[in-house]
Amino acid sequence: IAIRQNDTSHVMVGVDDVFHMALQVLLNAGLSPEQAEPVARVITAGERDECFSHGLYRLPGCVETIKSPKFVPDAVPNIVETSAAVVHADAAYGYSLLAFDRALSIVERKTRSVGVCILAINNCFHFSALWPEIEAMTERGLAAIAMTPSHSWVAPAGGTRPVLGTNPIAFGWPRGKERPYVFDFATSAIARGDIALHKIGGKPIPAGWAVDSDGNSTTDAAVALSGAMLTFGGHKGSALSTMIELLAGPLIGDMTSMQSMAFDGGIKAAPCHGELIIAFDPELLGGGTSTANHESAEALFAAFTDQAARLPSQRRYEARERSMKYGVRVARELYDRIQSLLMD
Ligand code: NDP
Ligand code: PYC
């Protein structure tokens, strides 16, 4: 990490202190301790891994969401084992993260027994990156896919009006002693949080991320936020995003991004909808040939790294090591804003 002497525009904060600061802000805002702990943990993980669009930057937005009349600050998730391979976790209009935590051991048990398990989280306010949940699966030796809608901010390919969410999809593959293969990205060209960070930093965005309200390409982050974002990969990202709307929406009896936006009614809380996670047990699905299958997967990864092509999450893992050693470098403006939330 570049620790510059006399850098008054940033503050160095230890990772543990990030967690305690985030936790205290959330508790001050009225979130129950049970809800607050996993939210603070995931925000800290985002800052630690230098995923700035989903780290401490999210904290003021979380406070706004907690104040929303539709949010339930002391929500207690209700976990139901719907079938041998299906778990429904009703987040009861709290954050998604406590519902995930409460369902995790049940999902693990079912996945080991059946080979696959679907976790449907319903009625959850959702603001977080998906890779912490995916890493929880890979730590248990499971492969997994996660996806969620958001708010309708993104135009479908060929259109100019927002319909789709930024709809992230994440995947993880356990690699034994190696760190897992994990990717996690929005199906919009970039997360909305990243465009908001460009706006805060006064920086232009690349062409291709968004159009203005008349459908013209824009590099102005503020204009992008009031126009329509675009999907990655044209019609391919558009279709993938639509799949996420359907699988993590109507399929599990929950809202699409358009419905989530309407539910919000202009309050500007975090999106409220469902999340779908599918876990796989490589041992059981490998039919007893798991060593051979492990070696096949490793050969695939080696074919990347042998030509210096990086695997997704490599940057994140390197950032994690750096942050654990030196702490994280938080913009002074954000740090001061968070401190002011501690005074409220
Ligand atoms: P990016 O476009 O930066 O893509 C991130 C993913 O791609 C990471 O897995 C990243 O690994 C990998 N990656 C990036 N560059 C390369 C490369 N050159 N080679 C190989 N892999 C690469 O992020 P997004 O803006 O699309 O998404 C950021 C986050 O926002 C995600 O965590 C997502 O879950 C979150 N999000 C959450 C939403 C929600 O509703 N809850 C909505 C939208 C987004 P690495 O991290 O190592 O760079
Ligand atoms: O960055 O697109 C985003 C986002 C939406 C909800 C949470 N993050």
Side-chain angles (χ1 to χ4, degrees):
I1 198 164
I3 308 173
R4 282 174 232 131
Q5 301 296 327
N6 309 320
D7 179 359
T8 53
S9 61
H10 290 85
V11 180
M12 290 304 295
V13 188
V15 172
D16 283 350
D17 293 336
V18 171
F19 173 78
H20 291 299
M21 190 166 72
L23 184 65
Q24 203 50 54
V25 165
L26 295 164
L27 294 172
N28 269 18
L31 195 59
S32 71
E34 291 76 13
Q35 287 275 336
E37 194 277 337
V39 173
R41 192 164 16 93
V42 163
I43 283 179
T44 304
E47 197 69 19
R48 179 200 65 197
D49 284 13
E50 297 178 7
C51 299
F52 296 119
S53 64
H54 289 79
L56 278 175
Y57 155 72
R58 289 281 157 187
L59 202 48
C62 285
V63 170
E64 289 308 308
T65 296
I66 294 163
K67 290 182 191 155
S68 150
K70 291 180 177 170
F71 184 83
V72 178
D74 57 353
V76 177
N78 183 31
I79 316 295
V80 176
E81 298 192 40
T82 313
S83 78
V86 179
V87 180
H88 278 88
D90 183 347
Y93 298 97
Y95 281 117
S96 59
L97 297 163
L98 182 62
F100 174 82
D101 278 5
R102 295 267 167 100
L104 182 56
S105 61
I106 301 170
V107 171
E108 182 182 6
R109 170 170 48 78
K110 284 181 173 300
T111 310
R112 291 211 193 288
S113 150
V114 180
V116 63
C117 179
I118 292 178
L119 169 61
I121 303 178
N122 289 115
N123 307 320
C124 62
F125 283 82
H126 203 300
F127 74 91
S128 44
L130 301 182
W131 58 260
E133 293 167 340
I134 290 291
E135 282 194 8
M137 295 290 181
T138 55
E139 275 163 21
R140 286 161 176 77
L142 305 176
I145 300 174
M147 62 191 82
T148 179
S150 61
H151 271 170
S152 47
W153 289 308
V154 183
T160 54
R161 289 194 303 278
V163 170
L164 300 165
T166 48
N167 298 4
I169 182 162
F171 169 76
W173 178 268
R175 298 180 62 196
K177 291 196 182 78
E178 297 293 324
R179 288 187 144 148
Y181 175 93
V182 176
F183 72 70
D184 176 16
F185 49 72
T187 45
S188 46
I190 194 80
R192 189 170 182 83
D194 212 309
I195 299 187
L197 288 176
H198 277 73
K199 182 179 164 211
I200 292 167
K203 288 191 268 176
I205 58 169
W209 281 10
V211 292
D212 67 17
S213 46
D214 296 322
N216 304 308
S217 179
T218 184
T219 57
D220 182 321
V223 171
L225 292 172
S226 60
M229 296 170 66
L230 298 175
T231 58
F232 83 89
H235 64 282
K236 300 182 186 185
S238 185
L240 195 58
S241 182
T242 309
M243 178 196 81
I244 294 167
E245 292 285 344
L246 296 171
L247 292 184
L251 180 80
I252 59 167
D254 220 308
M255 287 192 257
T256 61
S257 296
M258 287 198 302
Q259 289 169 326
S260 171
M261 186 79 116
F263 177 81
D264 182 69
I267 290 173
K268 294 199 160 77
C272 180
H273 45 65
E275 178 178 349
L276 179 75
I277 299 173
I278 311 170
F280 308 89
D281 181 3
E283 292 255 350
L284 201 151
L285 293 167
T289 56
S290 59
T291 304
N293 289 339
H294 176 74
E295 282 168 7
S296 303
E298 288 306 306
L300 178 67
F301 300 137
F304 280 63
T305 49
D306 284 354
Q307 55 178 311
R310 85 151 161 106
L311 297 174
S313 286
Q314 186 186 314
R315 177 207 62 80
R316 219 160 44 70
Y317 298 146
E318 287 165 7
R320 184 177 304 181
E321 277 184 24
R322 226 175 11 248
S323 298
M324 295 311 288
K325 203 164 163 188
Y326 300 112
V328 299
R329 196 165 158 265
V330 184
R332 162 70 65 184
E333 214 177 307
L334 176 59
Y335 182 83
D336 288 347
R337 190 155 173 224
I338 291 170
Q339 292 300 313
S340 76
L341 292 173
L342 287 170
M343 310 295 170
D344 287 350

